[in-house]
Amino acid sequence: MALRYALLGLLSERPASGYDLAKAFEGELGSYAWQAGYNRIYPELARLADEGLIEPADEGARGRRAYALTEAGRSELRAWLLAPRKSGAVRNEPVLRLFLLSALEPEDARKVLREIADNSESRIVELGHTMATDTPVSPDGSLPFGWLAAGYGLHQYQASRDWAVWALGELDKTERRRPAPPP
């Protein structure tokens, strides 16, 4: 269901073809927020057009069609963005792995935690370069698409790194308190 809103959101920025939209999902959007390929994008575009939420804006070479958001599409996107988040079934594999981390031997758990800390640090560096500039403003006076999400990502990775370092310290405390094996 979120794919339709991702597409509406992308089209709120400017008209785009299915190819252009797929490229957006191959970039930061797909890396950090939501993944979708051509096989899901094109059928969803057809549904959105059938519902009157988007309309063809331009047709180019080889039948390449760009779509634009309609007022109905803009209203639907706005309603979704303003609606309270519904809590549904939670399926977060990375967090499930963290719940089960104690099933590993301490050295294996340390390996996982170091990987989380190192991966988070790499992402902090990547996003830090993006966020190091002054807050940009687009020509229409608004924040550019994805700027706030990049800031969210930066803070999330900082929290993940800090948590992994804390968890490594907790493992060390536990190891110091563990009774020695019987002789």
Side-chain angles (χ1 to χ4, degrees):
M1 190 65 169
L3 175 60
R4 79 186 280 117
Y5 298 108
L7 293 170
L8 292 173
L10 289 170
L11 292 172
S12 75
E13 190 176 30
R14 67 179 162 274
S17 67
Y19 176 82
D20 297 329
L21 295 165
K23 287 297 178 196
F25 283 100
E26 289 175 10
E28 290 176 345
L29 180 63
S31 294
Y32 296 109
W34 198 264
Q35 292 183 338
Y38 295 99
N39 62 333
R40 294 199 45 230
I41 291 170
Y42 283 100
E44 191 62 39
L45 287 173
R47 280 189 286 278
L48 292 170
D50 288 345
E51 294 174 31
L53 302 177
I54 63 172
E55 62 189 3
D58 186 34
E59 189 146 342
R62 298 183 309 275
R64 183 177 175 162
R65 180 177 292 155
Y67 293 93
L69 198 61
T70 64
E71 281 308 311
R74 191 170 305 284
S75 294
E76 172 118 354
L77 176 62
R78 182 177 184 277
W80 180 74
L81 286 169
L82 292 174
R85 237 176 88 189
K86 296 177 185 170
S87 61
V90 176
R91 291 191 175 133
N92 187 329
E93 185 179 333
V95 173
L96 175 61
R97 288 172 180 264
L98 298 177
F99 264 96
L100 304 174
L101 205 54
S102 295
L104 292 174
E105 292 297 320
E107 198 47 47
D108 287 337
R110 278 187 188 84
K111 181 180 175 186
V112 170
L113 293 169
R114 279 190 217 102
E115 186 177 302
I116 291 169
D118 293 345
N119 179 47
S120 296
E121 189 62 40
S122 296
R123 297 298 179 130
I124 290 166
V125 170
E126 286 173 26
L127 288 168
H129 293 305
T130 301
M131 302 302 293
T133 62
D134 286 337
T135 305
V137 178
S138 25
D140 68 356
S142 63
L143 288 171
F145 201 69
W147 176 256
L148 294 175
Y152 176 81
L154 178 63
H155 291 287
Q156 285 291 100
Y157 284 117
Q158 289 169 336
S160 291
R161 178 208 48 211
D162 294 349
W163 172 84
V165 169
W166 170 83
L168 283 163
E170 293 298 301
L171 273 176
D172 291 344
K173 284 183 203 174
T174 304
E175 282 296 300
R176 287 192 295 271
R177 285 189 237 139
R178 184 174 285 191

